Each structure stands twice: as structure tokens, then as C-alpha cells.
Amino acid sequence: MISIQQLINVAPFPQETKDELLAKCDDMSDSKKIEVESLCWALISQWYQNELGARQEKAMLEMAEGGKISSKEDFAKMSDTLFAEIVGKFKVEESQEDLEEVRAKLANLN
Amino acid sequence: MATEGATAVDVATAAARAGEPRPNATPAGVVEPDGRVKPARRFFGAKDVSVAVEPDITTGVKRREVSRSGSTAEVGFSAVSRGAMADRIRERLGVSQELFKDKARLDVIDRILLKRGEEIASKIDASSELTRDELALAWTVIQDDLRQKASAAKMAVDEQPEKFQKLKDAPVIGGIFRRYASEATTRVTESDGPRLTTEAVKTHGITEWNQDAIAAELRQLNELRADIEGKLGFGTRSADRTLPNFDKQNGDLLHDSVVKSLSLILERKHLESSLAELRKINRVEAASIEQQAIQEGLMRFAQEQAKALLIAERPDVDIARIQNQLDKINKPADQEEVDKAHAEAHQAIQDKNDAQTRLDQLTNSKESVIDAVEDTEEAKQEAKDNYDNLKPILSAEIKSWEARLDALPEPTADEIADKDAMRAYNERDATRRKPIVAEIDKRHLEIRRLLLEQTKTDYAHTKAVRKKDALLSADDTLRGSLAYAKKELTEKEVDLKKKLKAEEKLKEPAGQKANKKRGLEIWKSVMERDSNGVLNYEKIISTGFAQGGDEARYTQDQFADTTATGGTFVGAELLRESIFGVIKDEWVSDPKNKALIRKMLSDEAIGRGIVRIFSIDTTNYGLANLLPQLANADQAQIGDLTRFLISEGLRSAEKGDPFLKVSERYAKPKARIEHEALGILEEEMGVVKLENMGTLVNPRVIWEGPVREAHGRIFGSLIPITHTELNFRVTEEFNRGLVIAGVQIEVNEEFLKYLPVNVSANMPEEIRRYFYDSAGAVRTELRQPSDRTLRSLNIPEWITISDPAMNGGTGQLEKFHAVTSADMLNALGAAYSSEIPRKLATQTANKVLDMPPAERKDAIKGLPEFNITFAEADTGNPINCSIRFDNNGIFWISDGGEEMQLEAYYTRREENYRGDRQTLESAEREALQQEMATIQEHIGMRILENQQYK
């Protein structure tokens, strides 16, 4: 189970915002926690998409300009690598359940 | 007919080729009679490019991966897709050629296309076997086209919209996703962000664009791009990555944030060129910068969203206090309680009056001893003057008489020899001496009388001073007593109000009580939980965020609706419903409750809330004017408004009043308590006008020009006075409903210079306290600049010379503005400034008249002739004079007779007054001096006025 603290740590907040949210999250109401979690997931997913899109576009530009040719595997690898990076940031135990949760949440936007 | 599995492009193109209208019914393409298609790019002003019609071939596709070496491989593109791709490449090639011909700057893609464009397009046309680099080029051309056109048209394309389905219910951000959750759409945005228009798009021209055409064009490009991406093995993304999944039109902060980041990064990297220019030089670098901007923008957006979430925490309201208020209402008041409240109110009136009397007595006793000192001072001075003036005269007369005594004839020798003759001589001598001696005695007596008078008045003055000293010797004690009396009075007044209110409350009719009770219960329920344990407040706020989506219960347009209904407006009713209806439907469906809620959250309260949240500079709280603001509001603002109204309503309920009255301190957004530095107020400076100078009747310093309308805790303006600089500022403090306004004057050299020597009756308390001693004279330490160290004397930099307080009821703030802008400064003029202009005028005249005429001429150029009126010292008759300042620097005066120089006029006036007498009485001299001073004051005022308006 991904905790709200993990989500806050991974979401693309500035450090001071993370600190503030972490300091206050214990006192938050349940509904507020849900709001924060939803915001974190939305932001993480958006970050993931932006990053993946950027890496793909860069590869396409290189190809169009006669540079490195990227294969399907290369593109798939980009996605896998980025996913692994995200998972690494969560510092989860890499249990199947956690990985599935992250994948499912990212897939919501993917 | 389209084959199963074909893309939208395939379908659209095939349909076009078959002579059928395209899906989406857009003018994306027009089928010519010969079966050729004119694509939609004509809407961009480009030359029509014909595409050869080929049979619809979508079968026989072999799927084989392209090798790393770039060898040809077969991938699954239909002929129509290939035709469309080739078409786009040729179109872009045509643009590149035109740019080349015009010697415009080309980007990398332009250069590649000029080199290999036709070759690649032909290959795509002819074969389904495409290398990945060729597909990448096609993708880049299409992506580029899509991005540039979308950006230049301020439109964006979303795809795979179902990805937002699961997020649409998320609070805060859910509203954003909800907009995209229904189907793939081309949305029109009205972004203020940079247009990333390139030379290519400029060459296309945008003048003929229309929304439907560009929407169809973008949709087609997007489908084509998605098709290529699918074949290459990666997902899709939004059309323009600088306008990702959020747009500004619907209040999206992310777009702004990204655009801001973009410009910051370009600035940080010292890139003067725009991103579009950078793309021409290095597309990879440009993409990297874009990516950085997007992620940085996302981070800023994340910060703002988190902040909004934290702020949106429930209001700091104690529900127990509302319950206490309810308990009070529930408890019936018995007659004994009513009587007690009445007695307490009556006693409070008495206490307040007593406090007022004590304060008046203290104030009067202080003033009376000060007056006594002034009066005896005058008498003492008069006695001294009389003695000083008359004693020499009397002594001279005594001497004169004594001389006459000495001059009496001595007896002759015959008379001395003859006894009878001698007796006769003595008798004659005695008769001659007697009146002379009597005269001498009379004068000695007069001298003694004068001396006695002086002693008596001196004693009386000393006695008065002692009395005053006794009262003021412990000046702090007196001030303390006065302060205590004032404080006591204020406390009693507050207490009286409370008691009267308590009495009124107990006498409240049952109907009113019932309404109040119901209102408090409704407010209390805002902070209660529903049967599922969800806090009602959270539900209300979530409803606020629901606006704008397809399932929205309320929209901005609905809130902005000014259609009249039941004495209010549809929009206002919906706002109330969005708060209270969420808790319990019956509270807005039941007519009685509805009427009550209209009072709890009145139109005026909503109006004031809108004025505050939307920072509207108005005092008009009419909802007909204010509700339309909500049509363009973003979600955050609507949320702010809702939270503001709820938290204010709850606070009011805590105090027992369910009917929210948004305080006047919110009338203008700038009225929040903030400190503003004086330095920024220069533009607010007005000019000072010295009024009534001509007649010298109540000369006043009045303000001309703007006085700030918005009020910080302290603000001030400098009032420059020609010749000197006395600095005034107006201060305000807001303490709940009470506004304390003050006028302060800066303690600077100029201020000290013009302090009157003696305290005057109208002088403000703080000036008396800091600058005058117990005898009412300017403190000796302040008389000489060398002796003056203001800090060591504990004199503040600014001192208050006027500080009225007023209750913040309806209209008080406006009244206050009026007071500060005019009345208060007039009051200042009446109280203190009358001292200043007179002093200034006399000193100015003295200074000018002491100058040599040549210097004077330069100092006061252009002073026009003027008339003055004054009372003649000896007769009291009014005299009209005209005064003229000539080109040689000489003042001339005429009272109807001969015009003469000022000095000569003064001499003549003295001669006329004295008549045949040798000298004037002291009182006469003083009166004459006053007459001359009046003339000089007039002259001084005129000089000041003349300088002021230059």
C-alpha cells in the first residue's frame, strides 16, 4: 500500500511544500487526505507523461535528422525505464501489490 | 468504403475519395469531380495541392520490424495513410521552397525537406515499405504542423480522453480532467501565452481561418500522427506540449505556469530568441527546454494546488460556541431576568454619564488653571508695563516740578531785614509751593500705586502659577487621571451598549428568536458530519469544484445569472443553494427556509464577498452589477468566494448572529490591514492651499488633490508648504468594526521652528504634552537647536494632532473617506494650522521687509496689487488699503489718500494716533503694533499664496 507520505515525497512538489504537507498530513481529515492523494497521483502521472513524451520526442527528432534510429524495443524500454525510476522514487518494497498499484495509477493517465 | 481496422484518416480519406462527406462533417477536405481531393489546408491560405487518387488498399499489409541499419521494412500503413503523409510532406516542402526563395531563415526540417522532401514523399506514395527514419521525418513534419497550427490558432488537441475517466472525481484537479473525459475534442483556448508561430505558419497565413476548419484540420493531423506513433511503438501525447492537458480558458494555472517557466528558462540561459527561433537552430535543445519548462511549470502548479488544498482546510470555528448561542436562545427569559437586564442597562447609562462628568471636570479644571495663569500673566505684564512706562514719565514730571520749586524766588535782603516783609514772603512762598508739592506728591503716590499694582498682580500670577503647578506638578498624574477618565468612559460606553443589547435580546419577539435559532442551527450543520461521516463543509467545497464539468451541478454562468427571482437573482439563489442545499435539500426547497437563508446570506453579503474576492474597486454592492463577474471566474475564485462566505457566516453565528453582515472593512480589497511604506505614495501627493488669507478670518490649511481611497493601516501624504515643509499624514487603524483615524504631523526642524511660544487653547493634546512645559511655554530644551536632541527628549517622529474614532456601521467607511479627504484636514486647519499660516505669514513678511529692495525684488517677483481691510487701532473703524509692490522692490500703500512707502505709512499712522501728545500709552502702542502686524500678515500671506500657485 502506497502511503500518503510516499506520494507526497514522489509528487513534483518543491521541497518546502513537501515538508509542509508532510508536517500537516497527520492532522488532516480523511477527506482532505483523499484530496491530497488524488492530487499527488494526478501530478505524478502528469510528470510521468511529460517525461515519457519528451524522451520519445527527442528520439524522433534524432531519427528525423538522420541520427540514431530507435527501435520499438527502444521506445518500450523508455517506458519501462521511466516506470522503474518512478518505482525507485517510491522506495517501495517492490511487492507485486505495490507495483501494480503504481502501474494502475499511472495507467489511468497513460 | 472503409475497411475494418482502418484509422480515422483512412476512413475520412476513403470517404472523400468515394465522394462521400467526411466523418465529422468538417470542411477538412473537398472532393473534386475527378475524384481528386482538395485538402483542408486551403483554410490556412496555402496553395491547393492535389493528391493523386489511388484505389483504397488496406489489405496485404505485412508487418515486419525495421532493422537498426535502416533497411527497408514493411509496416502497416494503408495507401490512404501514406497518401496523406506524402501530402503533408509535399505541402511542407512547398512552404520550405517558398521560404528558401524569400531567403527566410530555414530550420533543420526545412533543410532536410529541400534536400530529400520530394524523394521521401514519392517513396511514401509509392510503397508501404518505409524506414523508421522516413517515418520519423513524416512524424516530425506532422507534429510540427500540428503544433504550429494549434499554437498559432490557440487551439489544442486531446486524444485518448478516457484516460481521465478515473480522475474526474478527484477534488481540486478532478474538475480539470473532467473537461476532457467525454470524448476526443479539439478545444478552443484563449491563451495569452506565446504563439509559437514559425515562418512556415506565417507563410500559410491565418487570415482565412475559421474555427470549424482548423478544428477538422487539427483532428486529421492528430489522427495521422497517432497512427505513425502506433506503428513506431510508442504512445501519443497532446498536440502541443507547451499547452499540455490543461488550458487557461477554464482557469487552468498550469498553462500560465509553464509559459512562465519557459520565459524564465530562456532568460536563465541568456537566450534572447524565442523558443520558435531556437527550434530553427537546435530542435533537440529546444525540445529539451520545452520539457524543462513543462516540468518546472508542473512543479509550480503543484505548489499552488497544494497551497490551495491547505488553505481550503475547514474554517477555524468552534461549533460549541454556536451551540452556546443556541442554548441561550432555547432558555426562556423570565421577568426577573428581564428586570435585571433593564436595571443593569439603566445603571450602565448612569455610570457612563458619571464617567463623562468626571472627565469633563478634570478637563475643565486643567483648562481653568491654565486660563488663570494666562489671565494673571497678562495682568502682571500690564502692571509691569504701566510701571515701566509711567515711572520714568512720572519721575521726569517730579523732577520738573522740583525744578519749579527750585525756581521759586528767594527772599530779598530787604525782606529778610523786615520781619513783616519776611512773613509776607513766607506766606506767598507757601502758597506757591503748595500746589507744586501736591503735584510732586501726587506723582510719588502714583508711582507707589503702580508699584503696588505690579506687586499685587505679580503675587496673583505667582499664586495662579503655584495653583497650576500644584495641579500639573505631577503632570503625569493629571495625564494619568485624564487617560483613566477617558478609558473609563470608553469602557462604560461599551458596557452600556452590551447591556442595552442584552436587554433588547431578552425582549426579542418569539418569531425573531425562532428565526435566529433556525439560522444558527443551519450554520452549525455546516460543520457537522452527514450519516456517512463526511463533513458537510467538505461536501460544499467539493460541490464548488464540480462546476465546469459535464456533470456539473453549478456553472459559472449559472452563478452569474442576474435574472430576477423572488426579490433576488437566480445566480445568488444558486450560490446559496450550492452551500446550504448540499447539506439538506429541504433547506432550499422549503419556502420558509429559503426565505431565512436569503437573510442569512443576503444579497449584500454576497455582493461584498464578490467585491472582496475579485478585488473590485467599488462601493456598489448591487448584485446586478457584481454577479456577472462570476461568469469569467476560475474555480479557485469561486472556491474562495464560497469559503469566504461560509467562514464569515460561521464567525457571525459564533457571536449569535446568523445573519451575515460582511464587514465594511471588506468593502474594498485594499482595506485589509497592511502596512504601506510612505515612499510609494508620492503620486498621491496633493497640494496645500492656504485659504482665507485675504481676509485673515480663520486662515486654514486645506487639502487639494487626491487622498488615497484605499486604506492601509498607516498611510500618509506629504503636504508641502512653500517656504517650509510641514509633513502631515493620515493614519487609520481598523479594529473590527471600529475605525480610528488620525492626522499626524512630522516632528522636524520646520515644525519646531513654527511652534507658538505659548501654548494655545486649541492646540492638540499631544503637541502640548511634548513641546510645552507646565507653565505653558515652549520647553527650554527646544528653543535653541543646539540644545535639541529629539530622541533624548523621547519625542516621537510623528505625533497625533487629531484622532477621531467612529464605529464601522453601514456607510461609515465611506463617511470616513470623506472625513479624511476633507473634513479632517479642515479640522486640522482650524485647530492647529491657523497658528501656522499666521506665524508663517508674519515671518515671511518680516524676512522680506528686512531685505534690501533689490534682493526683495528678486525674491517676490510678480506679486500683484492687492487690497486689505483692517480695523484702525485708535478708532476701530475699518480701513481699506491697496498695497502695490513695484519693480524696484518697494512696497507702496494707499488708504485712499496719498500713496506712500510702507515705513512712511507706519510713521504717519503713529503720528496721527499720538496727536499732540508726546507719547502713546502702552496699550495704545500695543494696539498700533497689532495694526501694523495685521498689515504685515496680509503681505506675508499674499507672498506665500503668490509663491504657492506659481
Side-chain angles (χ1 to χ4, degrees):
Chain A
M1 179 75 180
I2 305 284
S3 68
I4 187 171
Q5 285 83 358
Q6 284 173 305
L7 280 169
I8 291 169
N9 272 317
V10 175
F13 294 115
Q15 191 55 47
E16 66 267 23
T17 307
K18 285 182 185 181
D19 293 343
E20 192 180 359
L21 285 168
L22 287 170
K24 290 182 177 173
C25 71
D26 283 345
D27 297 328
M28 284 177 189
S29 58
D30 288 346
S31 57
K32 184 63 64 183
K33 281 182 183 168
I34 291 168
E35 283 185 57
V36 172
E37 283 178 3
S38 300
L39 174 64
C40 289
W41 276 120
L43 292 167
I44 293 166
S45 299
Q46 185 65 47
W47 182 90
Y48 173 81
Q49 279 199 84
N50 290 343
E51 191 63 31
L52 184 61
R55 293 183 191 187
Q56 290 169 342
E57 184 167 359
K58 197 177 168 193
M60 291 294 278
L61 287 172
E62 278 185 19
M63 273 202 287
E65 292 179 11
K68 183 192 166 194
I69 302 290
S70 296
S71 65
K72 267 188 179 177
E73 283 76 19
D74 290 332
F75 282 115
K77 201 177 166 189
M78 277 177 207
S79 174
D80 291 344
T81 307
L82 193 56
F83 181 75
E85 284 175 20
I86 291 268
V87 169
K89 284 185 181 183
F90 276 112
K91 293 178 184 163
V92 292
E93 293 298 316
E94 293 201 23
S95 71
Q96 198 55 37
E97 191 187 336
D98 286 343
L99 288 177
E100 283 308 313
E101 186 184 359
V102 177
R103 198 181 293 279
K105 291 284 186 184
L106 294 179
N108 275 338
L109 292 172
N110 203 3
Chain B
M1 188 170 172
T3 309
E4 190 181 343
T7 66
V9 177
D10 295 339
V11 174
T13 313
R17 290 178 182 184
E20 294 169 13
R22 285 175 178 233
N24 301 322
T26 65
V30 178
V31 181
E32 298 294 290
D34 61 0
R36 295 169 73 85
V37 176
K38 264 189 181 176
R41 48 197 175 277
R42 66 191 174 83
F43 292 104
F44 298 88
K47 293 169 186 172
D48 291 345
V49 179
S50 297
V51 178
V53 177
E54 288 184 3
D56 186 5
I57 303 166
T58 56
T59 55
V61 174
K62 293 179 193 173
R63 294 185 180 274
R64 207 165 68 199
E65 186 47 76
V66 181
S67 73
R68 172 68 183 83
S69 64
S71 63
T72 307
E74 293 171 5
V75 288
F77 283 102
S78 67
V80 283
S81 286
R82 284 188 282 110
M85 269 189 266
D87 189 32
R88 296 292 174 182
I89 289 174
R90 287 199 178 94
E91 182 192 351
R92 175 62 186 270
L93 173 60
V95 172
S96 300
Q97 284 166 341
E98 283 179 34
L99 293 173
F100 179 73
K101 203 165 63 187
D102 295 342
K103 295 182 180 170
R105 188 168 186 174
L106 302 172
D107 69 13
V108 181
I109 298 300
D110 288 322
R111 289 199 294 271
I112 292 174
L113 286 172
L114 285 171
K115 202 173 171 185
R116 293 185 57 209
E118 185 49 47
E119 175 203 331
I120 293 169
S122 301
K123 188 177 172 192
I124 290 172
D125 253 345
S127 168
S128 65
E129 292 183 348
L130 300 170
T131 59
R132 292 181 75 82
D133 57 338
E134 287 161 355
L135 281 173
L137 182 66
W139 179 90
T140 306
V141 167
I142 289 162
Q143 165 80 347
D144 217 31
D145 205 11
L146 179 57
R147 177 181 287 162
Q148 290 177 44
K149 286 171 181 172
S151 177
K154 294 187 176 182
M155 299 172 92
V157 178
D158 285 309
E159 50 190 308
Q160 293 187 327
E162 64 278 10
K163 66 189 173 186
F164 298 123
Q165 283 294 345
K166 289 186 184 175
L167 269 179
K168 70 171 186 171
D169 295 327
V172 185
I173 205 160
I176 297 167
F177 290 109
R178 194 170 300 112
R179 292 195 296 273
Y180 315 128
S182 52
E183 60 180 23
T185 53
T186 299
R187 292 166 301 115
V188 178
T189 66
E190 294 176 0
S191 168
D192 292 329
R195 285 172 181 265
L196 302 177
T197 310
T198 61
E199 290 300 322
V201 168
K202 283 179 191 166
T203 304
H204 281 309
I206 58 169
T207 52
E208 295 175 36
W209 287 17
N210 72 51
Q211 301 290 10
D212 289 342
I214 186 63
E217 171 75 354
L218 294 180
R219 191 174 292 115
Q220 194 181 50
L221 279 166
N222 194 45
E223 289 293 328
L224 197 51
R225 181 185 67 159
D227 202 12
I228 299 172
E229 288 179 349
K231 299 294 185 295
L232 284 172
F234 67 97
T236 53
R237 65 193 62 78
S238 57
D240 187 337
R241 294 187 58 251
T242 59
L243 288 171
N245 294 323
F246 309 90
D247 67 88
K248 186 180 167 88
Q249 184 194 22
N250 293 307
D252 181 7
L253 299 170
L254 180 55
H255 174 269
D256 284 348
S257 193
V258 169
V259 171
K260 191 175 175 186
S261 293
L262 189 58
S263 59
L264 285 173
I265 291 166
L266 288 170
E267 192 182 320
R268 217 157 56 213
K269 289 181 180 285
H270 306 292
L271 293 171
E272 288 178 6
S273 61
S274 67
L275 196 63
E277 288 297 310
L278 185 65
R279 276 209 193 97
K280 292 177 185 171
I281 303 161
N282 188 336
R283 294 179 71 88
V284 176
E285 172 70 7
S288 163
I289 289 173
E290 271 184 77
Q291 169 62 6
Q292 199 182 341
I294 288 169
Q295 297 296 47
E296 280 187 17
L298 182 66
M299 185 176 279
R300 192 179 295 109
F301 173 78
Q303 186 180 25
E304 284 161 1
Q305 291 297 310
K307 203 172 150 192
L309 268 181
L310 291 172
I311 290 169
E313 272 288 26
R314 67 191 73 155
D316 182 22
V317 172
D318 188 353
I319 198 168
R321 285 190 198 150
I322 303 177
Q323 186 56 51
N324 283 344
Q325 298 290 351
L326 276 165
D327 292 344
K328 279 184 198 169
I329 295 174
N330 289 334
K331 189 184 157 200
D334 54 27
Q335 191 54 43
E336 196 182 332
E337 202 178 356
V338 174
D339 292 345
K340 191 183 164 202
H342 180 72
E344 282 180 350
H346 184 74
Q347 185 59 46
I349 294 171
Q350 189 63 45
D351 289 348
K352 183 242 165 190
N353 290 340
D354 289 349
Q356 182 71 60
T357 308
R358 275 195 294 281
L359 177 62
D360 291 346
Q361 280 172 348
L362 270 172
T363 310
N364 291 339
S365 64
K366 185 183 174 186
E367 283 176 0
S368 67
V369 292
I370 291 170
D371 289 347
V373 169
E374 284 176 3
D375 292 346
T376 54
E377 169 83 44
E378 280 175 22
K380 178 188 164 188
Q381 190 60 41
E382 191 178 338
K384 185 177 180 301
D385 287 347
N386 284 342
Y387 179 79
D388 291 347
N389 293 330
L390 294 176
K391 187 179 177 257
I393 296 168
L394 290 167
S395 296
E397 287 175 353
I398 287 169
K399 276 185 185 168
S400 166
W401 284 108
E402 283 172 347
R404 288 172 73 174
L405 273 182
D406 292 344
L408 288 175
E410 295 292 327
T412 60
D414 291 344
E415 284 170 330
I416 292 168
D418 183 347
K419 275 188 178 177
D420 291 337
M422 190 61 198
R423 192 180 299 116
Y425 165 81
N426 283 338
E427 284 172 1
R428 280 198 312 277
D429 187 55
T431 305
R432 283 196 295 263
R433 280 179 179 275
K434 193 178 176 183
I436 295 171
V437 169
E439 287 295 331
I440 291 169
D441 288 347
K442 192 173 139 192
R443 280 158 182 76
H444 279 301
L445 276 173
E446 178 64 10
I447 288 170
R448 279 200 294 277
R449 192 192 65 74
L450 287 170
L451 197 58
L452 185 63
E453 184 65 23
Q454 194 181 354
T455 308
K456 273 165 69 181
T457 54
D458 194 28
Y459 175 72
H461 178 63
T462 306
K463 203 172 156 189
V465 168
R466 277 184 191 152
K467 194 175 173 187
K468 192 186 85 171
D469 284 350
L471 188 68
L472 303 182
S473 59
D475 201 26
D476 287 342
T477 310
L478 179 68
R479 277 208 302 275
S481 301
L482 277 168
Y484 177 77
K486 278 180 187 170
K487 193 180 162 206
E488 188 190 23
L489 178 60
T490 310
E491 281 171 0
K492 297 294 177 195
E493 281 173 342
V494 171
D495 189 46
L496 173 60
K497 275 184 190 169
K498 274 188 194 165
K499 298 279 165 58
L500 288 174
K501 210 173 173 182
E503 189 187 4
E504 197 184 324
K505 230 176 184 178
L506 287 169
K507 290 178 182 171
E508 218 167 37
Q512 274 183 31
K513 269 191 185 175
N515 271 344
K516 192 181 269 188
K517 185 185 162 192
R518 190 86 178 120
L520 290 176
E521 283 169 348
I522 292 173
W523 278 119
K524 186 172 152 243
S525 71
V526 170
M527 298 308 286
E528 291 172 338
R529 294 182 184 275
D530 67 8
S531 54
N532 297 320
V534 178
L535 191 70
N536 286 329
Y537 175 78
E538 307 277 0
K539 274 162 65 180
I540 295 166
I541 299 302
S542 296
T543 306
F545 285 121
Q547 53 170 311
D550 293 339
E551 295 169 17
R553 191 164 170 186
Y554 306 105
T555 64
Q556 289 97 326
D557 286 343
Q558 284 175 317
F559 285 148
D561 190 344
T562 54
T563 309
T565 175
T568 177
F569 302 96
V570 168
E573 288 288 82
L574 283 172
L575 264 172
R576 286 184 273 260
E577 187 186 307
S578 74
I579 294 173
F580 300 109
V582 171
I583 304 171
K584 229 181 235 182
D585 188 51
E586 67 177 72
W587 284 350
V588 287
S589 57
D590 179 83
K592 272 189 181 174
N593 286 336
K594 201 171 183 176
L596 179 64
I597 281 168
R598 276 181 194 166
K599 280 189 189 173
M600 289 166 58
L601 211 53
S602 67
D603 283 3
E604 185 179 346
I606 293 173
R608 287 186 185 276
I610 293 173
V611 164
R612 170 167 159 76
I613 299 300
F614 293 83
S615 301
I616 299 165
D617 191 10
T618 180
T619 52
N620 178 3
Y621 309 112
L623 274 186
N625 295 322
L626 295 171
L627 279 177
Q629 293 284 334
L630 302 183
N632 300 318
D634 60 37
Q635 287 175 311
Q637 286 174 313
I638 297 281
D640 285 349
L641 177 63
T642 309
R643 278 193 295 276
F644 174 76
L645 293 173
I646 292 175
S647 59
E648 289 292 307
L650 286 168
R651 283 193 193 108
S652 179
E654 268 188 330
K655 291 173 190 163
D657 187 356
F659 308 113
L660 173 60
K661 296 164 195 74
V662 178
S663 165
E664 282 73 16
R665 69 179 183 275
Y666 295 127
K668 292 186 179 181
K670 290 176 191 168
R672 292 180 215 181
I673 300 172
E674 288 168 356
H675 179 84
E676 291 187 52
L678 291 173
I680 62 169
L681 298 172
E682 282 184 5
E683 62 185 24
E684 305 288 347
M685 276 174 59
V687 293
V688 72
K689 181 182 175 188
L690 303 177
E691 195 182 70
N692 294 338
M693 298 305 156
T695 59
L696 285 180
V697 177
N698 294 324
R700 297 188 299 173
V701 172
I702 65 160
W703 177 258
E704 276 190 342
V707 169
R708 282 177 69 82
E709 285 188 355
H711 298 80
R713 185 182 179 81
I714 289 182
F715 69 89
S717 298
L718 299 179
I719 303 180
I721 297 180
T722 315
H723 230 56
T724 178
E725 197 174 67
L726 292 168
N727 299 333
F728 296 90
R729 72 181 182 188
V730 179
T731 63
E732 299 169 355
E733 283 185 53
F734 296 86
N735 183 4
R736 295 186 178 268
L738 196 69
V739 178
I740 300 164
V743 177
Q744 293 187 327
I745 189 162
E746 188 184 16
V747 181
N748 57 17
E749 291 295 321
E750 295 297 326
F751 167 80
L752 294 169
K753 194 167 147 189
Y754 293 102
L755 270 180
V757 176
N758 291 308
V759 77
S760 68
N762 291 329
M763 198 166 273
E765 176 60 30
E766 283 213 356
I767 293 184
R768 288 186 191 206
R769 188 197 308 166
Y770 286 114
F771 304 102
Y772 291 86
D773 60 21
S774 56
V778 172
R779 287 166 63 170
T780 45
E781 313 93 285
L782 300 169
R783 288 177 191 162
Q784 294 300 322
S786 56
D787 296 331
R788 194 187 306 137
T789 313
L790 295 178
R791 191 167 291 178
S792 68
L793 297 173
N794 291 325
I795 292 175
E797 288 179 17
W798 292 85
I799 54 167
T800 300
I801 53 179
S802 171
D803 57 348
M806 52 192 81
N807 293 322
T810 305
Q812 284 292 313
L813 193 69
E814 289 74 14
K815 185 178 160 193
F816 173 65
H817 290 166
V819 169
T820 53
S821 60
D823 299 348
M824 189 179 293
L825 285 159
N826 283 342
L828 164 70
Y832 180 67
S833 302
S834 60
E835 303 283 340
I836 296 171
R838 281 184 183 278
K839 199 87 183 168
L840 271 173
T842 306
Q843 294 199 9
T844 302
N846 288 345
K847 187 177 173 185
V848 166
L849 292 171
D850 284 346
M851 291 176 178
E855 192 182 328
R856 192 190 297 150
K857 184 184 71 177
D858 292 329
I860 46 173
K861 282 177 183 167
L863 182 67
E865 185 173 341
F866 57 93
N867 295 316
I868 62 171
T869 303
F870 58 89
E872 206 173 31
D874 44 352
T875 63
N877 292 331
I879 302 289
N880 295 312
C881 282
S882 65
I883 294 179
R884 182 172 65 85
F885 184 60
D886 75 9
N887 293 333
N888 299 314
I890 308 290
F891 277 101
W892 295 85
I893 183 167
S894 166
D895 57 2
E898 181 194 353
E899 189 185 57
M900 55 183 70
Q901 289 190 27
L902 207 54
E903 290 80 357
Y905 179 79
Y906 289 159
T907 307
R908 195 189 73 180
R909 279 290 300 131
E910 189 181 3
E911 286 169 357
N912 288 346
Y913 199 174
R914 199 174 64 236
D916 296 329
R917 294 175 298 168
Q918 259 190 332
T919 181
L920 288 170
E921 297 285 343
S922 64
E924 291 172 330
R925 272 205 309 280
E926 194 178 316
L928 187 62
Q929 279 169 2
Q930 185 54 50
E931 184 188 306
M932 292 172 183
T934 305
I935 295 170
Q936 298 213 168
E937 271 185 29
H938 276 292
I939 293 171
M941 293 289 185
R942 292 294 182 175
I943 294 169
L944 286 175
E945 276 189 328
N946 186 51
Q947 289 182 346
Q948 182 171 289
Y949 291 109
K950 272 188 175 177

